Amino acid sequence: NFEEQDFFENNKYVYIYTEDETFVYEIYAAYTTDDSHILNTNDFTQEIGRESYLEKSKTKAELDGYLRKDVDVNTDSKIITLSTCTQKSDQRYLVQAVRLN
């Protein structure tokens, strides 16, 4: 449903419940991308690698989906990426969110 602009605009949070805590994430991007493995094709161990990935993902979201520019995301942010298949075997649809707490 995040492919629809109204749904994206009206659904801003992801909640992850554990035994001890509830984590709240604010969704900042939803977009179509290729099927490359994010962890294998980006270097998240260095700040420059995290910065490069964030810039690429924000640009991709602006072009092929939706981006909330008012959500603060930086190289130290804790983010989650939810990925699902699309109608094309070489693409994925991503929903990305930044942890608030």
Side-chain angles (χ1 to χ4, degrees), residues 52-95:
S52 173
Y53 176 76
L54 284 176
E55 289 306 314
K56 285 188 295 186
S57 65
K58 288 177 182 180
T59 299
K60 191 78 170 149
E62 283 186 300
L63 294 173
D64 297 324
Y66 307 105
L67 177 68
R68 289 192 180 98
K69 294 181 181 181
D70 61 333
V71 177
D72 182 34
V73 183
N74 60 58
T75 57
D76 293 323
S77 296
K78 306 261 191 250
I79 65 170
I80 58 170
T81 300
L82 307 173
S83 174
T84 191
C85 301
T86 67
Q87 296 295 325
K88 296 182 179 180
S89 63
D90 62 345
Q91 291 183 338
R92 299 289 179 265
Y93 197 81
L94 304 183
V95 176

Side-chain angles (χ1 to χ4, degrees), residues 27-69:
I27 298 167
Y28 67 89
Y31 58 98
T32 302
T33 191
D34 64 31
D35 65 347
S36 60
H37 193 285
I38 293 171
L39 295 177
N40 291 337
T41 56
N42 296 279
D43 179 9
F44 294 108
T45 63
Q46 303 290 323
E47 185 173 1
I48 193 164
R50 295 189 301 271
E51 185 176 314
S52 173
Y53 176 76
L54 284 176
E55 289 306 314
K56 285 188 295 186
S57 65
K58 288 177 182 180
T59 299
K60 191 78 170 149
E62 283 186 300
L63 294 173
D64 297 324
Y66 307 105
L67 177 68
R68 289 192 180 98
K69 294 181 181 181

Side-chain angles (χ1 to χ4, degrees), residues 14-18 21-25 80:
V14 172
Y15 301 90
I16 298 179
Y17 301 96
T18 69
E21 195 170 351
T22 299
F23 296 99
V24 181
Y25 291 80
I80 58 170

